């Protein structure tokens, strides 16, 4: 139990808080007592944590007060204070360069591309679900959910199924850089991240080369044709943005699918409602996104001194916007800890908000709509065969293994 006097001891970089599911209690205490909280991390660094819905939304919208140049992930990772990605990849850029690049990248996420992703995802998910039905079960996390980003990557990058899975393995290692399931966790964390990033760049070398010679209608070709103030992107900017696409899209949608299935298994009455009335599928997907809050927070850096809710934020301070807390704020959501597939309105912040709002949201919506439609249409019952294994992270709420039985 924490209150206003003891909340100063909370450290949101303590991954165990999230692994053990204690974070929801901690966030409700912070929202009530210290909505903009000065977090002192074990490594000696400090940052502000914004936890109320209206403050998180305010910070997302105030992009002239809060810069993205330090990257979305807190320091101590591959995006340090001297962030090499700062200003180079979409998620770590500020206006006006951000707007100029995003406008051009939208082309790679057109309605036509989203439709093609839908078709590819459908083929892969149908095959994976059929295999699970025949076998009476599977590891949902590795056998089914990863087919969502695989389908998206095949279309967005024009690559094969095998290549897509190769890239998913690489980004999974990067996002799971603190998880022994994916990497050897010994040694220097920054070196490990630099190595993992280099592996992803390496993956893209041949693709960038090929598209340079022969443009396709894909994301890499769009990057090669993009210009900011009349200047094409540098090689470094191209590779960083390839990585941004892969890291942004691979883990988030598949992990959200896992959390969503787990929520439906744990709330059979809600699953029953969708099975009886498929028109609830749309609101169910929004509730799954709110409930999962897969991307727990994003980081910004204050561009000047700011006073709000008693907090005195100084220019240059790191500020974190906690989606996972905003999405359970009872000032915004009625009974926020109830999983309600018919919840309306449901203005969750799972895709962020403002200028950096997720560019891949329509792709994620297509992926999630299809996977849950397919699961429901089986008419079979999915149950957990053993406890799911969680990713060791306070940034991404992930499920690395989820053995299920299908009866
Ligand atoms: C359920 C799935 C997803 C979730 C929860 C999610 C979450 C987010 C969030 C919270 C942001 C805002 C970052 C910020 O404000 O700093 C973001 C941005 C971004 N996302 Fe997603 N995302 C998802 C799927 C995808 C997919 C499928 C792709 C690509 C195929 C993608 C690519 C990106 C990119 C490139 C950005 C940077 C946008 C910008 O800075 O303007 N995301 N995402």
């Amino acid at each position: 139990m924490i209150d206003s006097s003891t909340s100063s001891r909370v450290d949101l970089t303590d991954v165990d808080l999230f692994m053990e599911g204690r974070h929801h209690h901690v966030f409700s205490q912070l929202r009530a007592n210290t909505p903009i909280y000065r977090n002192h991390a074990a490594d000696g660094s400090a940052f502000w944590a914004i936890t109320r819905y209206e403050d998180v939304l305010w910070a997302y919208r105030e992009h002239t007060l809060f810069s993205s140049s330090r990257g979305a992930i807190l320091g101590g990772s591959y995006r340090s204070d001297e962030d090499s990605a700062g200003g180079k990849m979409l998620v770590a850029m500020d206006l006006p360069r951000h707007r100029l690049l995003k406008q051009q990248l939208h082309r790679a996420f057109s309605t036509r591309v989203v439709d093609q992703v839908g078709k590819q995802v459908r083929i892969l998910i149908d095959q994976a679900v059929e295999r699970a039905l025949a076998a009476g079960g599977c590891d949902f996390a590795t056998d089914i959910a990863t087919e969502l980003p695989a389908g998206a990557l095949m279309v967005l990058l024009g690559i094969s199924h095998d290549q897509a899975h190769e890239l998913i393995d690489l980004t999974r290692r990067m996002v799971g850089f603190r998880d022994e399931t994916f990497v050897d966790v010994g040694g220097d964390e920054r070196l490990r991240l630099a190595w993992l990033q280099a592996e992803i760049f390496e993956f893209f070398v041949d693709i960038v080369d090929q598209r340079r010679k022969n443009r396709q209608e894909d994301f890499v070709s769009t990057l090669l044709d993009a210009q900011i103030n009349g200047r094409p992107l540098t090689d470094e900017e191209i590779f960083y943005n390839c990585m941004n696409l892969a890291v942004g899209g691979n883990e988030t949608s598949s992990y959200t699918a896992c959390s969503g299935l787990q929520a439906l298994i744990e709330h059979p009455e809600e699953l029953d409602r969708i099975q009886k009335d498929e028109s609830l599928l749309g609101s169910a997907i929004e509730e799954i996104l709110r409930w999962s809050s897969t991307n727990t927070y994003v980081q910004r850096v204050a561009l000047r001194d700011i006073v709000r809710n008693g907090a005195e934020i100084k220019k240059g301070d790191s500020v974190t916007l906690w989606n996972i807390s905003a999405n359970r704020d009872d000032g915004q959501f009625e009974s926020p800890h109830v999983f309600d597939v018919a919840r309306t309105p449901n203005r969750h912040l799972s895709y962020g908000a403002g200028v950096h709002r997720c560019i891949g949201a329509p792709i994620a919506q297509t992926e999630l709509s299809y996977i849950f439609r397919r699961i429901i249409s089986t008419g079979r019952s999915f149950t957990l065969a053993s406890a799911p294994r969680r990713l060791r992270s306070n940034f991404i709420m992930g499920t690395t293994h989820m053995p299920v039985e299908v009866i």
Side-chain angles (χ1 to χ4, degrees):
M1 190 64 182
I2 54 166
D3 57 26
S4 51
S5 56
T6 55
S7 61
S8 59
R9 287 184 222 142
V10 169
D11 178 5
L12 296 172
T13 66
D14 172 9
V15 178
D16 287 336
L17 199 67
F18 296 83
M19 300 295 287
E20 292 160 14
R22 288 180 284 124
H23 55 285
H24 285 308
H25 174 69
V26 164
F27 282 122
S28 43
Q29 295 289 313
L30 289 175
R31 285 193 301 272
N33 301 314
T34 331
I36 302 186
Y37 168 65
R38 186 74 176 151
N39 192 106
H40 293 276
D43 67 2
S45 64
F47 58 89
W48 295 96
I50 306 187
T51 55
R52 280 188 192 157
Y53 184 95
E54 64 169 357
D55 291 339
V56 170
L57 188 56
W58 160 77
Y60 268 121
R61 288 180 173 158
E62 294 286 354
H63 54 260
T64 53
L65 289 183
F66 297 105
S67 159
S68 289
S69 62
R70 214 173 273 171
I73 306 179
L74 276 167
S77 72
Y78 65 105
R79 299 186 183 103
S80 63
D81 282 359
E82 318 79 47
D83 183 4
S84 50
K88 296 193 188 101
M89 67 180 178
L90 193 65
V91 78
M93 270 184 184
D94 288 331
L95 266 52
R97 285 168 53 79
H98 173 267
R99 182 187 291 129
L100 294 172
L101 183 60
K102 197 165 188 174
Q103 272 168 354
Q104 298 173 76
L105 295 191
H106 268 300
R107 256 183 262 143
F109 296 87
S110 66
T111 321
R112 208 171 56 79
V113 171
V114 174
D115 284 350
Q116 282 174 349
V117 169
K119 286 188 188 130
Q120 187 59 58
V121 160
R122 197 184 175 112
I123 295 169
L124 297 177
I125 292 298
D126 283 353
Q127 289 168 350
V129 169
E130 285 308 323
R131 282 194 297 270
L133 294 180
C138 67
D139 185 332
F140 184 79
T142 54
D143 299 336
I144 299 187
T146 49
E147 294 295 18
L148 296 177
L153 290 175
M154 286 170 75
V155 174
L156 286 167
L157 296 174
I159 57 176
S160 69
H161 187 237
D162 283 351
Q163 283 177 302
H165 275 287
E166 191 189 329
L167 181 54
I168 292 166
D169 286 347
L170 293 174
T171 54
R172 201 141 273 216
R173 278 154 57 78
M174 180 148 186
V175 171
F177 76 100
R178 287 196 174 119
D179 192 319
E180 61 195 14
T181 314
F182 299 110
V183 289
D184 177 357
V185 293
D188 185 309
E189 225 167 50
R190 277 172 195 250
L191 278 178
R192 196 187 319 145
L193 271 158
W195 175 251
L196 293 166
Q197 175 177 309
E199 281 185 333
I200 296 179
F201 280 17
E202 183 67 29
F203 173 90
F204 279 102
V205 166
D206 285 348
I207 298 173
V208 171
D209 236 30
Q210 285 160 12
R211 301 296 181 272
R212 233 186 250 292
K213 290 179 200 130
N214 184 13
R215 296 284 201 277
Q216 310 274 319
E217 283 184 36
D218 67 353
F219 180 75
V220 174
S221 301
T222 308
L223 280 175
L224 289 167
D225 286 336
Q227 295 202 342
I228 300 181
N229 298 324
R231 175 184 74 69
L233 302 187
T234 62
D235 280 0
E236 211 188 0
E237 286 168 336
I238 287 169
F239 284 106
Y240 268 117
N241 281 290
C242 288
M243 183 176 78
N244 193 171
L245 173 91
V247 175
N250 289 0
E251 277 41 76
T252 45
S253 52
S254 58
Y255 285 149
T256 303
C258 293
S259 314
L261 181 61
Q262 190 176 343
L264 291 171
I265 290 173
E266 288 169 354
H267 300 85
E269 69 295 346
E270 294 301 299
L271 177 59
D272 198 43
R273 285 172 83 187
I274 317 173
Q275 273 164 338
K276 290 195 172 115
D277 177 4
E278 271 205 34
S279 72
L280 287 177
L281 200 62
S283 55
I285 301 295
E286 298 310 315
E287 183 65 344
I288 284 170
L289 284 156
R290 182 189 77 89
W291 191 253
S292 318
S293 298
T294 304
N295 192 163
T296 57
Y297 71 85
V298 300
Q299 177 186 232
R300 298 290 189 261
V301 51
L303 289 175
R304 50 180 159 89
D305 294 355
I306 303 158
V307 178
R308 189 171 169 106
N309 275 345
E312 293 183 13
I313 301 172
K314 297 279 171 235
K315 182 178 173 182
D317 283 353
S318 265
V319 180
T320 48
L321 288 52
W322 288 86
N323 302 324
I324 196 167
S325 172
N327 282 343
R328 297 284 180 110
D329 186 342
D330 61 7
Q332 174 67 18
F333 300 98
E334 208 181 303
S335 308
H337 298 290
V338 172
F339 179 69
D340 173 5
V341 294
R343 182 181 291 278
T344 6
N346 188 351
R347 295 193 191 90
H348 62 76
L349 296 177
S350 296
Y351 291 124
V355 295
H356 282 279
R357 187 176 186 276
C358 180
I359 197 172
I363 302 247
Q365 293 291 117
T366 302
E367 294 176 12
L368 295 171
S369 299
Y370 190 69
I371 198 168
F372 287 107
R373 187 178 299 281
R374 185 68 187 90
I375 286 170
I376 286 157
S377 74
T378 60
R380 305 268 288 270
S381 166
F382 285 68
T383 52
L384 292 176
S386 59
R389 196 177 186 291
R390 301 206 60 86
L391 176 73
R392 265 202 83 73
S393 171
N394 69 341
F395 180 65
I396 294 287
M397 295 300 278
T399 308
T400 54
H401 289 289
M402 189 169 160
V404 291
E405 272 174 16
V406 190
I407 309 155

